[in-house]
Structures are given as C-alpha cells and as structure tokens.
Amino acid sequence: MKKILLLLTFCTVVALAGCGGDDEKVIDGTKTPTTGAAQNNQEDEVKQPEVTKSNGYVFTYDGVDVKIDTDAAQYVAKFGEPSSYYETPSCAFDNLDKFYTYHGFEIDTYYSDGKDLVLNVVLLDDTVSTVEGLSIGDAQDKVTTVYGEPTEKTDNSATYKKDNMKLVFIFKDGVVAAIEYKSLVLDAQ
C-alpha cells in the first residue's frame, strides 16, 4: 500500500513539475509563489473554460458527497484540517491548484469563477471506497462486475464517463492500484 501511495505522490509531483519554477517557496510544508506573477492577475487573466456541474459518480466520506466541479470550500469546511496541504501556480487555470489530503483520499482543485472547484478526488488506500464498494486492492474483474463495461479501456485502466466527469481505475497485476474521480474540464482545453 505504501508503494501505491508513493507512486501516486510521485505522479502528482512529476505532473506538476512543469508548472512551477523558481518563483515558489515552502512555508510550513506549503509551496507559495514568491512573486505576484502566479497570483490571480487581472491583466494576465486567462479565459476559463465553462464548467458544467457534475452529478456523475460521487465519492462519499463521513456522510458527505464530494462532487466533481463543485466548490471545494464546502468540503474543506466539513472535513476540517487536512493532514497535508499543497498549492502550486496552475499551468492550466488562473491562480493556484490546491491539494488537500485527508485520511485515505485527496481533493485536488482548480480555480474558476472566483472559486476553487473540485478537479479530482484520488483514493489513496483501502481505508476508503467508492459508493459502490470498490477500493484499492480489489480484483480487476470486480470493477466490471460492479460498473459494467467501461467507456474506455486499456490493459491497465478502465474509465467510466457519466454526466461530465469520469471515474478511472488503474490496475497493476490484476488488482485495483488507483481510483480517481476526475473532471472533464481539462479534456475540453
């Protein structure tokens, strides 16, 4: 399980490596820009994609439904202080991308229309599961049994699209290695 968590962390860092630069500093484990260039700047405002709120697959934690493309502030308020928080200047959106890690899952955000919206929910270990009962470590065949045939499929993944979002399962050695609820907002760019 630690290997999967390390792999997911590594993938996130690699994906964000091209976004940063020398204009960041770390304070209390949080990266923040040292110049105003990465902040929401009206002069350099990038046109944001239109967001359609998703009613697709929903991740539920502690009785709270976390929906893709909705205001992340409501979840941060309900779940309280994350065990880890990271932010970085966004490559694709105005302002900052933010990453909130809670027990067993992470909420990743993007900035649009003055709010931080949920971009991804990443399940990190087998202490959490989908509403339908799948978690990391389950057999690959169980995914098809529970969700049916995927919208997109490779040898190592199955993607289910529903209502402007997607649920992605990554497989390794015949078991579920990662589960991600993802916005389609980046697919539209």
Side-chain angles (χ1 to χ4, degrees):
M1 206 44 53
K2 289 182 181 178
K3 289 180 182 178
I4 292 171
L5 182 57
L6 288 173
L7 176 64
L8 288 172
T9 302
F10 175 77
C11 290
T12 301
V13 169
V14 169
L16 295 173
C19 297
D22 295 336
D23 61 341
E24 298 175 349
K25 64 180 178 178
V26 177
I27 299 174
D28 296 329
T30 302
K31 281 192 172 186
T32 56
T34 57
T35 68
Q39 297 297 323
N40 188 18
N41 185 341
Q42 298 301 327
E43 296 173 6
D44 297 328
E45 190 167 321
V46 176
K47 184 176 181 339
Q48 296 297 311
E50 188 171 319
V51 176
T52 304
K53 302 298 182 237
S54 172
N55 291 319
Y57 298 102
V58 174
F59 172 67
T60 301
Y61 180 76
D62 203 20
V64 177
D65 290 343
V66 181
K67 296 180 181 180
I68 297 299
D69 297 320
T70 59
D71 190 351
Q74 63 186 317
Y75 309 121
V76 173
K78 288 180 182 178
F79 299 144
E81 186 72 26
S83 59
S84 166
Y85 172 79
Y86 174 79
E87 63 185 37
T88 187
S90 182
C91 293
F93 305 98
D94 284 341
N95 216 319
L96 301 171
D97 292 333
K98 298 177 182 177
F99 305 85
Y100 301 87
T101 303
Y102 293 96
H103 181 74
F105 69 99
E106 175 182 281
I107 297 174
D108 306 338
T109 71
Y110 66 99
Y111 187 81
S112 182
D113 296 326
K115 298 177 187 172
D116 291 315
L117 303 179
V118 177
L119 178 66
N120 301 317
V121 176
V122 181
L123 305 192
L124 301 174
D125 59 36
D126 62 358
T127 63
V128 292
S129 66
T130 67
V131 172
E132 296 81 10
L134 282 174
S135 61
I136 293 173
D138 283 338
Q140 181 173 345
D141 294 342
K142 186 176 178 183
V143 174
T144 307
T145 300
V146 171
Y147 290 95
E149 287 302 314
T151 308
E152 298 172 11
K153 183 178 181 180
T154 70
D155 290 341
N156 299 319
S157 69
T159 301
Y160 296 85
K161 290 185 181 178
K162 182 178 178 183
D163 296 334
N164 297 311
M165 62 89 56
K166 56 188 170 183
L167 178 59
V168 181
F169 295 90
I170 307 296
F171 308 116
K172 182 176 180 188
D173 299 328
V175 299
V176 176
I179 302 172
E180 296 183 39
Y181 296 79
K182 300 175 75 81
S183 172
L184 295 179
V185 70
L186 289 175
D187 294 357
Q189 292 186 344

